Amino acid sequence: DGMNIVYRCGFAFNLSTEINGKSFPTGIIFGFLSSLRALMSKRSSEIVICWDSQSTWRKKIVSTYKAHRVSTEEQKEARAVVFMQLPILEQFITSLGFMQFRVDGLEADDLVGIYSQVCQDHKTVKRVWIYSTDADFYQLLSKKVRVLRPLPKNPVTIASFDLAKSHGVTPEQWAEFKALAGDSSDGYKSVS
């Protein structure tokens, strides 16, 4: 989930570099590449990065979807700093040989879901690790699919049995649970 990692790096690294006498922010690039390096050393030989497209079908259905994320001037400025680094970051990722996907109208969540399902149905794939702090991915948990939540010191693996223990629901019930409970980070309210 590329943007999930990007935003985590935005909060963690406030770095900049001098380019042609001007300061250019590089915290997102540095943090993302550091995350990739750590992930490569611990988990996977094949890493696929999925990106959100600018306009998604969710925004057409729910007008408040993620609308609160860019409301203040400070949030707009922070978003501009993030987006100015993305083209350079994506060039680095390509030059390092990683696969990247972005599809118009879809979010990384959709692409990760499709990719996970394809891998789950493929007999030679032993395990799929989803690297993200986004709880929406819990609905994909299965014998083959795990969510690896990046935390400052150590990543935490969330398995389906953990979900039942921590939230009292199964992965199959997660979407319903979220719909009833609401999600302030995505901008939709709970059922009252």
Side-chain angles (χ1 to χ4, degrees):
D1 183 0
M3 289 308 292
N4 182 271
I5 298 169
V6 160
Y7 280 113
R8 289 188 79 250
C9 295
F11 292 116
F13 303 102
N14 188 14
L15 305 172
S16 62
T17 302
E18 289 289 319
I19 299 177
N20 295 331
K22 294 183 180 179
S23 181
F24 185 85
T26 57
I28 303 291
I29 298 164
F30 172 81
F32 197 101
L33 295 176
S34 296
S35 292
L36 273 181
R37 191 172 116 211
L39 194 57
M40 285 169 46
S41 69
K42 291 186 179 187
R43 293 289 172 186
S44 179
S45 56
E46 183 177 320
I47 295 175
V48 177
I49 296 126
C50 298
W51 297 102
D52 297 335
S53 68
Q54 290 296 322
S55 176
T56 71
W57 59 272
R58 287 173 182 82
K59 290 179 183 175
K60 293 175 183 173
I61 294 172
V62 180
S63 62
T64 58
Y65 183 68
K66 295 185 181 180
H68 65 289
R69 294 186 182 183
V70 233
S71 55
T72 68
E73 277 307 311
E74 189 177 331
Q75 288 171 322
K76 288 177 185 175
E77 287 173 23
R79 189 173 168 89
V81 169
V82 166
F83 279 92
M84 92 173 36
Q85 295 176 66
L86 285 183
I88 296 168
L89 174 60
E90 289 182 41
Q91 287 175 2
F92 269 117
I93 291 168
T94 298
S95 67
L96 292 170
F98 294 108
M99 289 189 286
Q100 301 180 77
F101 294 103
R102 178 182 281 117
V103 175
D104 285 341
L106 299 180
E107 288 188 12
D109 295 32
D110 304 313
L111 298 173
V112 170
I114 293 165
Y115 190 79
S116 296
Q117 187 61 52
V118 168
C119 289
Q120 183 156 302
D121 295 341
H122 202 279
K123 291 178 183 172
T124 60
V125 176
K126 293 180 182 174
R127 178 89 60 217
V128 175
W129 295 96
I130 300 170
Y131 188 66
S132 178
T133 59
D134 189 341
D136 291 342
F137 290 124
Y138 294 171
Q139 64 191 299
L140 301 174
L141 289 168
S142 70
K143 289 181 181 178
K144 275 191 177 181
V145 179
R146 297 286 186 266
V147 173
L148 189 63
R149 288 180 56 89
L151 296 174
K153 298 212 181 218
N154 287 313
V156 175
T157 303
I158 308 292
S160 56
F161 58 84
D162 293 334
L163 188 63
K165 193 184 335 178
S166 63
H167 290 83
V169 296
T170 65
E172 294 79 19
Q173 296 169 319
W174 187 253
E176 252 180 80
F177 171 77
K178 291 282 286 184
L180 293 170
D183 188 337
S184 60
S185 70
D186 283 341
Y188 63 88
K189 296 180 181 178
S190 63
V191 174
S192 22

